[in-house]
Amino acid sequence: MGDDAVDEENIALCCALGCINCGHYQDLDCFGCSGKVGLCCLNAEICCKPSAPCLFPLGCMGLKCENDGCSCFNVQCQMCQLVMTGAFPCNSEVPVAVSILGLTLYPKVGCCVKIGEITGHEDYVNSEEMER
């Protein structure tokens, strides 16, 4: 997915409304905290995770210019296993979803549905692993 400290495919949605969501990060790399705020193509990032690469120019804080799929505004905040994301308009990191207390109603009905299942990226990754 995105080139940041959080693998969005491993976020199980707890609550979501449109292009804003909150979820449980189900990755071994969940310790620490990270965040990013973007306006058009300019992102400001902060990351205090043991496995994260250094950011330019300050190591744990940096600026990056990237095309994230034409979002005017995006935000992501991760603290251990809690992740909150939002984007306007929605993009591949923040798909349109409706979830209440872990029950996802749209676009796929299920309990604790991961963002990777909604976007279809998890199926692609799983099919590659099965071929090996």
Side-chain angles (χ1 to χ4, degrees), residues 33-56:
C33 60
S34 68
K36 74 176 182 178
V37 176
L39 186 61
C40 294
C41 65
L42 184 63
N43 282 333
E45 299 184 32
I46 183 169
C47 188
C48 296
K49 294 174 75 169
S51 63
C54 288
L55 300 172
F56 181 77

Side-chain angles (χ1 to χ4, degrees), residues 23 25 27 31 34 36-37 41 47 50 61 63 66 72 75 87 101 120:
Y25 192 33
D27 198 310
F31 298 106
S34 68
K36 74 176 182 178
V37 176
C41 65
C47 188
M61 295 177 12
L63 295 173
E66 68 180 13
C72 298
V75 63
L101 300 174

Side-chain angles (χ1 to χ4, degrees), residues 65-122:
C65 190
E66 68 180 13
N67 180 4
D68 67 349
C70 301
S71 287
C72 298
F73 178 76
N74 65 67
V75 63
Q76 179 182 79
C77 180
Q78 178 248 331
M79 198 159 200
C80 292
Q81 293 182 321
L82 178 65
V83 180
M84 291 187 261
T85 61
F88 180 77
C90 294
N91 58 30
S92 60
E93 291 185 0
V94 187
V96 176
V98 176
S99 294
I100 302 168
L101 300 174
L103 178 64
T104 301
L105 305 171
Y106 179 84
K108 180 179 184 175
V109 177
C111 186
C112 298
V113 174
K114 292 183 181 179
I115 291 179
E117 294 175 44
I118 292 172
T119 60
H121 289 95
E122 187 171 89

Side-chain angles (χ1 to χ4, degrees), residues 11-35:
I11 299 172
L13 292 175
C14 295
C15 57
L17 183 58
C19 297
I20 300 171
N21 65 55
C22 177
H24 178 260
Y25 192 33
Q26 299 179 334
D27 198 310
L28 295 176
D29 187 32
C30 66
F31 298 106
C33 60
S34 68

